[in-house]
Amino acid sequence: MPASDPLPPTHTPGPARAPEGGGGLSSTLPGWDLADLYGGMDDPVLESDLTAARASAAAFRERHLGQVAALSGADLGAAIAAFEAISETLYRIMSYAQLLHAVDQTDETIGRFHQGMQEKVTDISSLLLFFTLEINQLDDETLADKLTAPALNHYAAWIRTVRAFRDHELPEAMERLIHEKEVTGRAAWVRLFDETLAHLRFDIDGQSRTLTEALDQLSDTQRSRRESAARAIGAELAANARVFAHITNTLAKDKQIEDTWRRYPHALASRNLANQVEDEVVEALVTAVRDSYADTAHRYYALKARWFGQERLATWDRNAPLPDAEDRRYAWPEARDLVLNAYGAFSPRLAEVGQRFFDNAWIDVPPRPGKTSGAFAHPTVPSAHPYLLLNFMGRSRDVMTLAHELGHGVHQVLAAPRGVLMSDTPLTLAETASVFGEMLTFRAMLNAETDPKRRRTLLTGKVEDMLNTVVRQVAFHEFEYRVHRERREGALSEDRLSAIWMDVQRESLGPAFDFDDSYRVFWGYIPHFVHTPFYVYAYAFGDCLVNSLYAVHQAGTVPDFQEKYLDMLAAGGTLRHTELLAPFGLDARDPAFWRRGLGVLTTFIDELEQLA
């Protein structure tokens, strides 16, 4: 998304923890209360906010259009503050509509409301597009002089982010056209994807299941039940593959057209720029992970096949519990306490912020028909608080998902004082607190376990989560990159999309697997490809970053590590990854950084081989 666009992403920092299913059924699980945003779709405050935002945006345009260059530093700082206030109101409105829609994407009334709010907010925000365009027309010397004013210097980090896009912006009339057509273009295709998935039902052994329930069954202890779920998912996705292929082709072509007009050199360039990470850093990450396939995924899944007494695994065995593992289920209070205690052992401040999500109705926990699958954290606006969405089924992976999303939520709370324009972090750094929260929780559970069998179960769960977060996400990245590259030559058929999918799956997962036809269309349900192109490498970035960061913590070589860590989270979007990692002696530009991160994964696999 261009930095000049005042609309927030649908789900920030992403629509799900990782494209792996998981959830649970219980009427006792807590839901969220959105009243801290608005009291309902008919709340008069909502209409009042829309009216006030429209009037403020029109007045702002009348006052500043064509005048930004003439403003003093102090006056430009005041103008940005006014721009930020309008943006906060629009963010609040859209956050409410998005969260309401997320818990029931099959409700037509909610769907119309969400669409209506999106259209109204888009119309209002289009009046503001000129502002960042005019900021970017200032030459460096003029801007540097203005930045001596404290009121403007306060926004220096935001201005730096805005100006990163200056070479890729278009004239205002074109920017407004692209912006206003979003609701009938890209956003409409995203909504079609979301609502199609929400309406799907999977016939598993005569029972109708939602996507969340079907994906959860892929972790069942009974192989026959896993197979039934996998075949049902494959059959239903295949029945809808024409729709998913059309959405994929349309959005890839839409991105190609806009990238061409904006003069981006390759399909990944805009995402890297938004993530504030250099192309060569992403290339180093992807290369390091791909080079590790044999020593990570291939080695682990060969070990798992031996545990299962099989020469090769089926795809529905990938996340299966070990044959002798207990089918351990965690009650919600138990999961909550595990995560908060792990957070508290590291930092009481971290646990105190996390506790707020449970003391208040800030989490929607139970799976329901129509609810979006997966999990996410939405920051909403600094004047309110984040909300977390889960689909909790009580498995150990769901405990890790809670630890992950709570990490996002705590990060967003700590960064909120930076304000709407500077609290949001790039996707790569947004995954730091979430993956770190998982690591804290896992280490606490592992350290408390003395039984060798249960310890192996915990280790296998962590290894599989890391493989899903690192290897699998880089494989997803490769799939996405190849799709966008081939789309430049013409539309891809359903069979071609499936062929690319199978190629990257075979390469990443390795020779321990048999891949049957039911798996060919599993690309169809991955939301990240649709919601946020090239999001997925951020998971691998975050996991390897956290592994290196946690190694520093364990080594005890950085004084006041906890305080520095919380300062890093509180920085929000004001610092780049090089600046944030410097206090810990880490540098993501160094290839050794990624090898160190991957080394944590290989060490866990070493331990599992010894336990075996």
Side-chain angles (χ1 to χ4, degrees):
M1 179 192 306
S4 60
D5 192 339
L7 287 177
T10 300
H11 298 142
T12 303
R17 166 176 176 260
E20 303 290 342
L25 294 172
S26 173
S27 60
T28 63
L29 296 174
W32 60 32
D33 182 355
L34 301 181
D36 288 343
L37 297 174
Y38 293 105
M41 290 184 284
D42 58 353
D43 188 342
V45 177
L46 176 58
E47 188 59 39
S48 175
D49 279 356
L50 276 170
T51 301
R54 186 178 294 109
S56 296
F60 185 91
R61 182 178 180 84
E62 177 69 23
R63 184 181 311 118
H64 296 300
L65 180 63
Q67 303 299 316
V68 170
L71 294 175
S72 68
D75 288 342
L76 182 53
I80 294 176
F83 173 86
E84 182 174 39
I86 299 169
S87 296
E88 170 136 356
T89 300
L90 298 180
Y91 276 46
R92 178 182 286 270
I93 294 166
M94 278 313 303
S95 295
Y96 177 73
Q98 290 161 357
L99 293 171
L100 198 66
H101 189 236
V103 293
D104 194 348
Q105 296 178 332
T106 60
D107 187 293
E108 293 184 7
T109 300
I110 293 175
R112 287 195 301 272
F113 172 78
H114 178 260
Q115 181 70 19
M117 290 302 102
Q118 194 168 40
E119 292 176 4
K120 290 176 181 179
V121 168
T122 297
D123 287 344
I124 295 169
S125 58
S126 69
L127 299 172
L128 305 174
L129 288 177
F130 77 93
F131 187 56
T132 51
L133 297 176
E134 291 194 26
I135 289 176
N136 281 346
Q137 289 166 8
L138 298 173
D139 62 70
D140 292 340
E141 185 178 349
T142 298
L143 179 60
D145 182 62
K146 293 180 186 293
L147 281 167
T148 60
L152 183 61
N153 191 260
H154 171 75
Y155 292 103
W158 176 74
I159 292 171
R160 179 181 67 176
T161 300
V162 166
R163 286 174 73 82
F165 292 88
R166 64 191 301 198
D167 294 336
H168 306 286
E169 291 179 331
L170 302 170
E172 195 217 355
M174 294 186 69
E175 292 284 2
R176 288 190 69 181
L177 177 64
I178 292 171
H179 182 69
E180 291 179 12
K181 283 182 66 64
E182 174 82 359
V183 295
T184 58
R186 175 177 173 74
W189 291 103
V190 171
R191 180 185 171 190
L192 174 63
F193 172 84
D194 287 343
E195 294 187 359
T196 299
L197 276 185
H199 277 88
L200 293 185
R201 294 296 179 267
F202 301 85
D203 184 1
I204 304 177
D205 297 331
Q207 293 187 308
S208 178
R209 300 293 190 187
T210 64
L211 177 60
T212 293
E213 293 168 333
L215 291 171
D216 178 73
Q217 194 165 317
L218 292 178
S219 298
D220 198 274
T221 55
Q222 295 183 35
R223 195 166 194 261
S224 61
R225 284 175 52 78
R226 297 197 302 272
E227 180 178 358
S228 295
R231 294 194 182 283
I233 294 169
E236 190 65 21
L237 292 178
N240 289 272
R242 180 173 172 272
V243 173
F244 294 134
H246 190 54
I247 292 171
T248 299
N249 276 291
T250 301
L251 291 178
K253 184 63 178 179
D254 180 78
K255 185 180 189 318
Q256 178 197 341
I257 293 169
E258 187 165 339
D259 281 355
T260 300
W261 277 93
R262 294 191 182 280
R263 303 175 298 281
Y264 285 115
H266 54 83
L268 199 57
S270 60
R271 176 60 52 213
N272 291 351
L273 194 60
N275 282 346
Q276 300 178 21
V277 62
E278 301 80 6
D279 288 356
E280 56 268 25
V281 171
V282 177
E283 185 177 348
L285 164 66
V286 171
T287 299
V289 174
R290 292 187 68 184
D291 288 347
S292 79
Y293 283 170
D295 198 35
T296 55
H298 298 186
R299 183 159 65 108
Y300 171 75
Y301 288 121
L303 179 62
K304 187 169 186 175
R306 292 199 296 274
W307 284 332
F308 274 70
Q310 300 168 200
E311 289 188 13
R312 294 161 75 89
L313 297 169
T315 55
W316 49 81
D317 297 325
R318 185 172 58 83
N319 285 332
L322 299 184
D324 59 349
E326 301 173 4
D327 187 16
R328 177 78 159 89
R329 297 283 179 146
Y330 295 83
W332 174 248
E334 186 180 10
R336 175 199 62 208
D337 292 346
L338 278 170
V339 173
L340 287 177
N341 288 340
Y343 275 37
F346 172 76
S347 164
R349 168 68 172 153
L350 202 67
E352 182 274 322
V353 177
Q355 183 71 50
R356 298 181 202 173
F357 287 81
F358 302 95
D359 291 343
N360 302 282
W362 295 0
I363 313 180
D364 196 89
V365 179
R368 308 181 195 88
K371 182 178 178 180
T372 188
S373 62
F376 66 73
H378 196 310
T380 71
V381 289
S383 58
H385 52 78
Y387 284 93
L388 310 184
L389 180 142
L390 306 174
N391 282 278
F392 186 81
M393 296 285 277
R395 297 186 187 275
S396 60
R397 280 195 175 92
D398 297 318
V399 179
M400 291 298 121
T401 298
L402 172 60
H404 183 105
E405 300 306 338
L406 189 64
H408 280 312
V410 169
H411 192 176
Q412 291 157 6
V413 169
L414 293 174
R418 299 285 179 178
V420 162
L421 300 182
M422 294 186 292
S423 60
D424 197 25
T425 56
L427 297 177
T428 42
L429 298 174
E431 292 303 330
T432 302
S434 55
V435 179
F436 199 85
E438 281 190 78
M439 183 62 81
L440 290 174
T441 304
F442 165 72
R443 290 287 188 178
M445 295 171 71
L446 187 67
N447 292 340
E449 187 55 71
T450 56
D451 181 86
K453 187 172 74 171
R454 288 198 292 266
R455 185 177 177 86
R456 186 183 68 166
T457 299
L458 285 172
L459 275 171
T460 56
K462 182 59 177 173
V463 166
E464 291 183 7
D465 280 346
M466 292 176 77
L467 290 173
N468 287 337
T469 305
V470 179
V471 169
R472 192 159 168 79
Q473 302 311 310
V474 167
F476 285 175
H477 169 83
E478 289 293 299
F479 169 81
E480 204 170 1
Y481 182 79
R482 288 179 59 180
V483 167
H484 281 263
R485 184 181 62 193
E486 290 193 23
R487 181 63 181 90
R488 290 178 175 270
E489 306 303 319
L492 282 71
S493 67
E494 300 163 28
D495 284 343
R496 182 56 191 153
L497 289 166
S498 296
I500 297 172
W501 172 258
M502 295 299 280
D503 283 348
V504 299
Q505 294 302 303
R506 290 189 181 98
E507 179 190 17
S508 60
L509 296 178
F513 281 93
D514 281 322
F515 295 92
D516 76 325
D517 284 346
S518 67
Y519 193 63
R520 289 178 57 81
V521 199
F522 269 53
W523 55 266
Y525 85 90
I526 308 299
H528 298 63
F529 300 155
V530 174
H531 290 163
T532 315
F534 296 104
Y535 182 111
V536 288
Y537 77 74
Y539 286 112
F541 191 110
D543 198 280
C544 289
L545 187 157
V546 164
N547 289 342
S548 295
L549 197 62
Y550 197 85
V552 171
H553 168 52
Q554 283 190 308
T557 55
V558 175
D560 303 318
F561 181 95
Q562 286 87 340
E563 183 179 341
K564 288 183 171 67
Y565 176 75
L566 294 176
D567 287 344
M568 179 178 72
L569 300 187
T574 61
L575 299 175
R576 296 175 66 89
H577 65 86
T578 50
E579 299 165 312
L580 289 169
L581 293 177
F584 306 98
L586 298 172
D587 186 351
R589 295 168 297 184
D590 183 355
F593 174 85
W594 303 113
R595 291 195 295 271
R596 179 189 299 180
L598 290 164
V600 174
L601 175 56
T602 58
T603 299
F604 284 155
I605 298 173
D606 291 342
E607 183 174 350
L608 283 172
E609 287 181 330
Q610 292 168 4
L611 287 173

